[in-house]
Amino acid sequence: MDHRRSTLQPSSDLNANTRSGLPISATTKKANSTLRMSLAGSALRAPYPTPSSVPSSNPRHSVLRSQNINPNSLLQSTTKPNFARTPLNNSTRRGSIWSGGAAIPPPTGSQTLKDPRPLREKPFQAQMKHDIYTYLKGTDREIAHSTLGNIQGKEYRAIFEFLVKTLDPCHPLNANLKFEDEFVPALRALRYPFVNAIDNKWLAAPASMHSWPTLLGVLHWLVEACKALDLYETSGDPTLEDPSQVPEEFEDSWDHQALAFKYFDDSYGVWLDMVDDFAEPNQFLEDRYDRKNERAQIDLEDKTRQLEQVTVELNKLKSTAPPITELQGENGLLKGDSEKFQKILHQYDLRKKKLTDQIISEKADLINRGDQLEQLRVDQDKLAEIVKAQNLTPEEVIKMNSDHESLSHNLRDLKQKIAETHRNLMTLEVNVANRAAAAEEALDNYTNLLSSLGLFPPLSPPLQDVDFTLELNTAQSNPQLLLTGADIRRVIKPNLSAVAESKRSERATVESERIKFDNELDQLTLECENIDEEIAEVEKKVVGLNDQADDLRDVAQQEALVANSEADRLERDVAHARTAALANGMGVKSRLQALQFDYREQIEKVSRLKEETVRGMIKNTHDIAKFKEEVSRHLTALRDFAEDE
């Protein structure tokens, strides 16, 4: 509750020149000094009954009218220190306008609003007592539950003052005055809508039957207002204008107004201390917006870097062929590979069928040989029986055995030669298959190169009648007919040499165009650098204009100091003239009037210098804004030009 925002009521008091924004100690300290008057005139305050206390001095007046700080009276800094607040012992009280909206004039004596609440119903009264007790229980003003059943005037006053102080900590409540004199004005200041239905005589016995419902309704209304205020202050709403809640990056107007209010608050406190140099508030505000702009600058650099990357990628995509062309070429290559693969599968199927037929024939041959071997064995057995039956001589038997051995030896030699011939045949078949596979792989590589180079028919002139495709037919027994297609030496090789030469010439042309494009890009980069230099020169001019504005402000301040010293001197002369007038009579009055005229002229001169200074600062600010707009326009045009390129 220490940082609760005070709420001020704008009014039409045009004679409140004795009020100030200084605390009591500052007012006492500057009581006997000659202070600077407000630049914005006197603050407008609502009239209140004048207490017994008398203002001690003529303090320094507010530099801003209280009703023009913000359209919403609640939008004041929640961290504002003690200075720039009205002391409690001033001659006129400042009323609170806490109502959650714009200032509304209080109802006049002729306006009587009827309270729509059922105040005399017991259930409603019990509910109001429960709400009041529950709220006070959560604060440092806890009361007994039976207090609201039979309340005394002192207890009612304590609860009322606590709720008023909760709503408006700066509301002046004097313990030395009667409660009847402060009750209705405080409710009027708080905009209680049914204040005209209250009689001050009820406060003598607040628990009486005819007065307690209305007075209980007052307390309940104040409690509900306190709850709404607590809810608003803890809601984090940007209309609170709390600088501590302003994020690093912000665009909301309330955040700007919060920082502006803190700047005005700090500058006003410095100004009240007779210091015209607002270096610390200016530095704080500049640092705060520098932090905001730093993230924006980092984001801008990231976006610029991303733009450059996307631009490079876009240029790369524009410089290369469309992806669909590459996909179409790849699709054609895959279709060609599919056809080749189908042909290879067909060849392997034929080979498989041939080998299967060969295996079947070999098996049939093996069966026939087996049958022949069985027949030979049968014949051998028959021959052996015949030999046994024959009566041969030993010499004939030896000769037959030798002939049989020689024939067996010859048979073994023939079988070995047949097996060796079969192995050589298998080796040759493997070599032929490997070389055929290598030839097919080389032919596939050749076909892939033709596909990647776009040399499949039909070709563009003058190669429209040339066919570079080759096919391998390993089933041909004649080596001259293994490759089908155009003649390699007479047709394919010369035409491929011509295509390579044309591609080299096209590459040289593309390289020359790339060099030309790089030259144009360097020229554009040089133009961008020149524009950056022009921007730097304009920024230097802006800095010079700011320096001139600062010099103009310093000169105006010096002239204002000289004018103030001259005004002080004239005041002393006026004082001397008044003293001399008492002795010298009416002859000195004319001189006093002349001095008063000179004093007024000096005051007008000071006001004129201040107005000229303000106009100069506004003009410089307008020039800076126009310059920033022009620079932004040039940068936008440059970015559009770069995107078009």
Side-chain angles (χ1 to χ4, degrees):
M1 305 299 286
D2 295 336
H3 298 286
R4 189 177 299 279
R5 181 193 306 274
S6 63
T7 54
L8 309 177
Q9 177 180 0
S11 63
S12 59
D13 185 7
L14 301 177
N15 298 320
N17 294 331
T18 60
R19 302 187 60 82
S20 74
L22 288 173
I24 300 175
S25 59
T27 307
T28 307
K29 180 179 177 180
K30 301 179 182 298
N32 297 324
S33 61
T34 302
L35 301 180
R36 186 186 315 186
M37 297 181 65
S38 171
L39 296 177
S42 60
L44 301 181
R45 308 297 180 194
Y48 273 95
T50 305
S52 59
S53 60
V54 179
S56 59
S57 64
N58 184 16
R60 184 175 189 169
H61 301 290
S62 172
V63 72
L64 295 175
R65 296 181 183 270
S66 61
Q67 71 275 18
N68 293 330
I69 293 177
N70 200 295
N72 192 339
S73 58
L74 289 176
L75 306 181
Q76 301 181 16
S77 175
T78 59
T79 59
K80 183 167 64 176
N82 289 329
F83 63 81
R85 293 185 178 180
T86 305
L88 299 180
N89 61 349
N90 278 357
S91 59
T92 59
R93 295 178 181 175
R94 176 172 56 192
S96 170
I97 61 166
W98 188 93
S99 61
I104 302 174
T108 60
S110 60
Q111 296 176 352
T112 302
L113 298 178
K114 184 178 180 181
D115 196 339
R117 297 174 294 177
L119 298 178
R120 300 199 174 271
E121 294 181 1
K122 295 298 181 181
F124 188 72
Q125 291 182 6
Q127 181 64 34
M128 288 192 296
K129 291 178 183 179
H130 177 71
D131 293 341
I132 296 171
Y133 174 76
T134 304
Y135 176 76
L136 294 178
K137 185 178 180 181
T139 62
D140 55 355
R141 188 65 188 178
E142 186 175 358
I143 62 173
H145 190 70
S146 61
T147 302
L148 297 176
N150 188 14
I151 195 167
Q152 301 296 325
K154 183 178 181 181
E155 295 173 347
Y156 187 87
R157 178 173 184 174
I159 297 174
F160 178 80
E161 290 181 352
F162 173 75
L163 295 176
V164 170
K165 284 295 184 181
T166 301
L167 287 174
D168 189 359
C170 295
H171 186 80
L173 292 175
N174 193 348
N176 298 325
L177 295 178
K178 293 182 179 181
F179 185 43
E180 292 82 355
D181 297 336
E182 291 191 339
F183 184 69
V184 172
L187 291 179
R188 290 186 186 278
L190 293 175
R191 297 293 192 272
Y192 183 64
F194 315 113
V195 67
N196 292 324
I198 299 174
D199 190 356
N200 287 338
K201 297 178 182 180
W202 296 349
L203 300 175
S208 61
M209 184 181 301
H210 64 282
S211 61
W212 176 236
T214 304
L215 297 179
L216 180 61
V218 172
L219 295 181
H220 185 261
W221 185 86
L222 293 176
V223 166
E224 293 298 325
C226 291
K227 290 180 181 179
L229 180 59
D230 291 338
L231 181 61
Y232 175 67
E233 290 183 343
T234 57
S235 63
D237 193 271
T239 56
L240 286 170
E241 295 191 5
D242 188 358
S244 62
Q245 296 180 358
V246 177
E248 289 293 331
E249 296 183 4
F250 57 90
E251 296 297 337
D252 197 344
S253 60
W254 293 115
D255 295 331
H256 289 283
Q257 290 185 14
L259 294 178
F261 186 86
K262 178 175 176 56
Y263 173 76
F264 293 148
D265 194 2
D266 296 340
S267 302
Y268 187 42
V270 174
W271 188 78
L272 289 176
D273 292 334
M274 303 301 294
V275 177
D276 292 330
D277 186 10
F278 310 119
E280 185 174 355
N282 291 339
Q283 187 64 34
F284 171 78
L285 195 61
E286 291 176 0
D287 294 341
R288 189 64 180 80
Y289 276 94
D290 287 341
R291 290 200 303 272
K292 174 181 179 296
N293 295 333
E294 182 179 359
R295 293 200 175 186
Q297 187 66 27
I298 293 173
D299 185 38
L300 177 62
E301 292 176 357
D302 293 338
K303 294 295 179 61
T304 305
R305 193 180 306 108
Q306 294 177 3
L307 176 62
E308 293 176 355
Q309 295 176 356
V310 172
T311 304
V312 171
E313 186 177 356
L314 178 61
N315 294 331
K316 183 178 178 181
L317 293 175
K318 288 182 178 180
S319 62
T320 59
I324 189 172
T325 304
E326 183 179 357
L327 293 175
Q328 289 176 352
E330 186 177 358
N331 186 21
L333 181 61
L334 292 175
K335 288 182 178 179
D337 293 341
S338 176
E339 294 176 357
K340 295 175 185 177
F341 187 69
Q342 294 295 333
K343 291 181 181 179
I344 292 172
L345 289 177
H346 180 66
Q347 292 177 1
Y348 278 113
D349 290 338
L350 293 177
R351 187 181 299 176
K352 180 180 178 181
K353 184 178 180 181
K354 180 179 179 181
L355 292 174
T356 303
D357 296 338
Q358 186 177 359
I359 290 170
I360 293 172
S361 64
E362 291 290 339
K363 287 181 178 180
D365 189 17
L366 183 60
I367 293 171
N368 293 329
R369 295 291 179 90
D371 294 338
Q372 291 177 4
L373 181 61
E374 291 293 332
Q375 186 65 33
L376 289 174
R377 286 178 179 175
V378 171
D379 293 340
Q380 183 180 4
D381 292 337
K382 288 179 180 182
L383 290 174
E385 291 177 357
I386 293 171
V387 170
K388 288 180 180 180
Q390 291 177 357
N391 189 10
L392 297 175
T393 61
E395 290 82 4
E396 291 177 351
V397 172
I398 292 171
K399 184 180 179 182
M400 291 178 63
N401 290 332
S402 61
D403 291 340
H404 181 266
E405 289 178 358
S406 62
L407 290 173
S408 298
H409 182 70
N410 291 333
L411 181 62
R412 286 195 299 270
D413 291 339
L414 291 175
K415 287 182 178 180
Q416 289 178 358
K417 289 181 180 179
I418 291 172
E420 186 177 355
T421 303
H422 185 69
R423 285 196 299 270
N424 292 333
L425 180 61
M426 294 298 294
T427 303
L428 291 175
E429 286 182 356
V430 170
N431 292 332
V432 169
N434 292 332
R435 292 186 179 182
E440 289 178 355
E441 184 177 359
L443 192 60
D444 289 339
N445 294 331
Y446 173 75
T447 306
N448 292 333
L449 288 174
L450 290 180
S451 176
S452 61
L453 295 175
L455 296 179
F456 273 119
L459 300 176
S460 59
L463 303 176
Q464 66 273 13
D465 297 330
V466 180
D467 187 5
F468 291 103
T469 58
L470 294 174
E471 294 183 0
L472 180 64
N473 188 5
T474 58
Q476 291 290 338
S477 60
N478 188 2
Q480 300 296 332
L481 301 178
L482 291 176
L483 282 176
T484 59
D487 191 358
I488 295 177
R489 294 181 180 179
R490 297 179 182 179
V491 178
I492 294 178
K493 188 173 180 181
N495 289 322
L496 285 178
S497 299
V499 171
E501 186 64 27
S502 63
K503 294 296 181 181
R504 281 194 291 271
S505 62
E506 290 178 1
R507 181 177 180 180
T509 304
V510 171
E511 187 68 21
S512 62
E513 291 180 355
R514 185 186 66 80
I515 294 173
K516 181 180 178 181
F517 179 76
D518 291 339
N519 188 18
E520 294 178 356
L521 181 62
D522 293 337
Q523 291 179 359
L524 291 176
T525 305
L526 182 60
E527 292 179 359
C528 292
E529 292 177 355
N530 294 332
I531 293 175
D532 291 336
E533 292 178 357
E534 292 178 359
I535 291 173
E537 292 294 333
V538 176
E539 288 180 351
K540 291 180 181 179
K541 291 181 181 180
V542 171
V543 172
L545 291 174
N546 290 331
D547 294 338
Q548 292 179 4
D550 294 337
D551 295 339
L552 180 62
R553 183 181 61 190
D554 295 337
V555 171
Q557 290 178 354
Q558 292 178 0
E559 291 182 356
L561 291 175
V562 173
N564 288 333
S565 61
E566 184 66 21
D568 294 338
R569 186 184 63 80
L570 291 175
E571 286 180 354
R572 289 193 298 270
D573 292 341
V574 168
H576 289 302
R578 287 176 180 174
T579 305
L582 296 176
N584 298 329
M586 297 302 295
V588 186
K589 290 184 178 180
S590 59
R591 182 185 176 190
L592 178 61
Q593 292 178 354
L595 292 175
Q596 290 177 348
F597 289 148
D598 293 337
Y599 174 74
R600 293 174 183 173
E601 291 178 357
Q602 291 297 327
I603 294 299
E604 293 176 355
K605 182 178 180 182
V606 171
S607 301
R608 186 171 62 256
L609 289 174
K610 288 181 179 179
E611 292 177 356
E612 292 177 356
T613 303
V614 171
R615 284 197 298 271
M617 294 177 67
I618 293 174
K619 182 179 180 300
N620 291 332
T621 304
H622 179 70
D623 294 338
I624 292 171
K626 295 293 289 182
F627 164 72
K628 289 184 177 179
E629 182 180 358
E630 188 68 20
V631 170
S632 176
R633 187 176 64 79
H634 281 294
L635 291 177
T636 304
L638 180 60
R639 183 183 65 186
D640 296 337
F641 176 74
E643 291 178 353
D644 294 337
E645 290 298 326

